[in-house]
Amino acid sequence: MADLKRTLQPGRWLDLKRLFGLIICLPMLVAPLSAATLAVLYPEAPPPYKQVFDQIVDGIDERHADRLIRYPLETRYNPEQVLAQLDRDQVDMVITLGRRGYSLINDINGHYPFVSGALPLTPNGTLSGVSLITDPDNLFSQLNVLSPVTKRVFVLYTAKSRWMVELAKVSAKKKGLELWAYEVNTLSDAVRKYEEVLDNARNGSDAIWLPLDKVTANETVILPMLLREAWDRRLVMFSSKPSHVKRGALFSIYPNNQQSGERLAEMVKELFSGKTMPGVEPSRSLHLGVNLRTAVHLGMEYSPTLTRSFYRTFPQP
Amino acid sequence: MLFVGNQNSLRKQLLTFLMVSIALLSLTSSIVAAWIAVNQSRQVLEHHSLQIAGNLAHQSLLSLITESKENADQALDQAMAFNDVSGVAIFTERMLLLQQRGEINWDTDQLKDWFAHPVPVLAADNRDHWIITSPVFLREEQDDYDEFELSGSQEELMGYVMLNVSKDSLQTLTTNLFSYNLMIGLGFATLLVWLQSVGLKRITRPLLNLSQSMNEARTSGEHNYANVEGPMEVRQMAESYNAMMQVLEQQEDKLVKLNSGLETEVAIRTKELTHARDTALVAVRTQSEFLANISHELRTPLQATMGYIELVIEELEDEAMDEPVEDLREAMRASTRLLALINMILDLAKCESGKMELMPQEISLHTLTQETESVIRPLASKRQNAFKVYLPAEDHLLQVDTEKAQQVLLNLLSNACKFTEQGTVLLSASVEDGFVIWQVSDTGIGIPKEQQGLIFDKFRQIDGSVKRKYGGTGLGLAISKHFTEMMGGTLDVFSETGQGTTFIFRLPLVAPADTVDQTSENLLSKKLSSTDLEKL
């Protein structure tokens, strides 16, 4: 080192030190934006549910070009071990999928920017993610396509679903639909209100929308009653829950897992970069599931082109 | 024992055993099968009833949510449509009745216990019905996989349902199962018994034939041979039996031949023995008759001679010719001894020829003994012997032939006095166990052991020197023995040489009945004097 100092002149030695420091500091300046490590916490699920999480992670991987670490969580996992592993892996941001990953948000909140997915999330001001709840705008768009004669939509909801109904009101107005929304508190209130709605509903122009609500779309009491009455009265009934299509609802929208994954990657990157707080977004999937038997019963005829565009149809051949 | 009675045939025993076994087997299997079927049916009915309760709880949910009786009707009607359900009821979560159908009763106090279970249960098991209860929960239904839900499932108690399930069908099924199973079992057992009977008859026939052959051989005594047939064991038995019969037949032939030879020989020997016996009897009788005759013939002239001697003595005494008188008296004494000897020979002859008879009389023990004592005492003093008599304090009445008893005593005592010098002669009497016992003891010369068995023979004395020294005929003890045995008594001797002799004379207090009242000649026509006894 002494020989080197003697060889180099003092002025030139100063220039070299600046250049050396610049070379060392350059990666540190660009790293947060271009080489962030993303952790995905998701449940170790059995088939066919494993495929859902794989598709979401594929979507995340599609949008996240840098280091992506997958953390499959077993049924009885140790949260402390997972958090320690996140530290050891020098993770920069986290995406939780499903209830098992969601249960860690209290631990990682404040340590890592995170978003959640694969759950029926509702906005609470602090949480960001993609909800499984379908965007009513999409539902109403499909309603206009599948049942163009429908003008009035009846919906019962509880306080938990109020945010969605607010979106629906805006969307219905845009779509030229008249939304009759009733807030209830209990299941018995819902039963009585549905009886009123059914008594007043007109077949052809009226439709009933079942939101993703455990009270107003109770599958033990409400769903069987509505399916029977709607069938008897030839009323259009569509649902925010895809499994209702199989049981007799006219249509619903299945989540697009790949698309959700891509959107989650974008949202966590936005959080990491500190640009915005994305909040909870409804699912904007267009994977339409249609019960053709119900459609026929309601007197609707769909062109082959339209039918081929359906993501799933029931009864399945 | 029912199965192994010796009176029944083998076939009957086997058949009885099999019949009872089959009947027990059929009965047991029928009862067990029926019990299992009934138990399974009961479980099925219980499971079915629990399912109905579960379904009713599910269908009652709407009516409980709305608390609407109208909504409950459809669920109750569906439950009542099941055969065994005789009553149903729906209760609110406060255990208040919402709606009911059919016959169903409950005690309000019991409801809390009946509704305490989180699943459908058999709450009460009565004799003719069950009470099934189930809670009604409102559950948030979820997909099979709850990872897509924010929270786990929750449930809310909405009320209860109650079913009254009748046991009529179960009881009818139980009765039918038991009766049909028993009928089928008994029918099957009857068929099996018939088959067993036929089979056993065929199997046991060779054994029966063999048994009959043996029985015929036993009853007839002939050597019947059995047919060799049937199973291996029976054939072996028949062959063994036939072989045994063959051996028996051969042995019997030999026995018959041997028996005939033996019979001939026995007949010859018997004839010889009879002849010898008859000869001996004739000889004895002839001897006795001879002795009797000769004695009688001797006694008559002797008595005449003695009479004449006595006359001559009287005449000579009158003429004071003392010297010839003394000689005649000596002649008289010799004649008297000779007469005594002849009398004894006559008695002995009578005994041996069976002509001696008994004549029992009543006499007191003391009298008989004292009379004897008076006769013997002079004889005892003759050889300076001490004569002692012991009598029991209490006198006893005897029924004996007095003459013969006294003669025996006199014979024994005279012998004792004769063979004892300057010693002691003892006579004691006692009564014991219906017998009078006289004991005659002396301190005389005694009798050697080897001679003791011979002294009761007639004409027998210890040896010639004794006879020469003491005199006597040797008939006294022989006659005494004869008399004792005639009177049903015993006469025993105990003696040591030089130490003395003891005779034990035992007589029954009462003479044997067959001797009583018999007329008898008084053989001892006169009592023997001490002088006569000395000569015996």
Side-chain angles (χ1 to χ4, degrees), chain B residues 408-466:
Chain B
V408 172
L409 287 172
L410 290 172
N411 285 344
L412 297 175
L413 286 167
S414 64
N415 279 345
C417 292
K418 188 194 295 181
F419 295 110
T420 306
E421 287 187 14
Q422 297 179 344
T424 302
V425 174
L426 175 67
L427 170 63
S428 68
S430 62
V431 174
E432 189 176 320
D433 296 335
F435 281 83
V436 56
I437 302 167
W438 285 284
Q439 182 174 327
V440 179
S441 304
D442 62 60
T443 56
I445 60 173
I447 304 168
K449 290 281 182 191
E450 62 275 12
Q451 298 290 330
Q452 288 178 11
L454 304 173
I455 59 172
F456 295 110
D457 293 347
K458 58 188 177 184
F459 305 111
R460 175 77 69 172
Q461 284 190 329
I462 297 174
D463 54 33
S465 62
V466 171

Side-chain angles (χ1 to χ4, degrees), chain A residues 32-135:
Chain A
L33 297 176
S34 59
T37 300
L38 175 61
V40 181
L41 308 179
Y42 62 100
E44 182 75 68
Y49 308 104
K50 184 175 185 302
Q51 188 183 359
V52 173
F53 294 105
D54 288 345
Q55 288 172 353
I56 296 171
V57 174
D58 288 345
I60 295 168
D61 198 20
E62 183 73 22
R63 286 299 165 94
H64 182 75
D66 299 323
R67 188 181 176 207
L68 175 69
I69 303 176
R70 304 175 188 221
Y71 295 89
L73 304 176
E74 294 179 351
T75 308
R76 288 188 178 85
Y77 71 96
N78 186 340
E80 293 177 358
Q81 286 183 354
V82 174
L83 294 172
Q85 189 63 41
L86 291 175
D87 286 342
R88 281 195 295 275
D89 292 339
Q90 296 182 332
V91 167
D92 297 309
M93 46 193 177
V94 176
I95 297 176
T96 70
L97 300 179
R99 197 168 72 186
R100 214 173 294 173
Y102 185 78
S103 63
L104 280 168
I105 61 170
N106 289 333
D107 296 314
I108 60 177
N109 190 17
H111 293 84
Y112 308 103
F114 73 95
V115 296
S116 297
L119 284 171
L121 301 171
T122 56
N124 62 0
T126 60
L127 186 66
S128 295
V130 178
S131 175
L132 283 175
I133 299 170
T134 309
D135 188 347

Side-chain angles (χ1 to χ4, degrees), chain B residues 482-527:
Chain B
H482 271 293
F483 283 179
T484 304
E485 290 174 353
M486 280 177 70
M487 289 186 287
T490 58
L491 181 60
D492 300 303
V493 60
F494 303 93
S495 180
E496 290 285 336
T497 306
Q499 300 295 318
T501 304
T502 298
F503 283 92
I504 306 295
F505 174 38
R506 291 162 51 94
L507 277 184
L509 289 174
V510 179
D514 55 350
T515 62
V516 177
D517 297 331
Q518 285 183 352
T519 57
S520 173
E521 183 184 356
N522 187 2
L523 297 175
L524 291 174
S525 54
K526 65 180 182 70
K527 290 184 181 176

Side-chain angles (χ1 to χ4, degrees), chain A residues 45 99-100 120 187-188 214 220, chain B residues 65 141 147-149 151-152:
Chain A
R99 197 168 72 186
R100 214 173 294 173
L187 189 58
S188 56
K214 289 184 178 177
T220 306
Chain B
I65 289 170
E141 294 203 5
E147 275 296 331
F148 301 110
E149 300 290 341
S151 60

Side-chain angles (χ1 to χ4, degrees), chain A residues 3 7 32 161 180 184 227 238 274 285:
Chain A
D3 294 339
T7 306
S161 302
W180 294 70
V184 295
L227 286 172
F238 61 99
S285 167

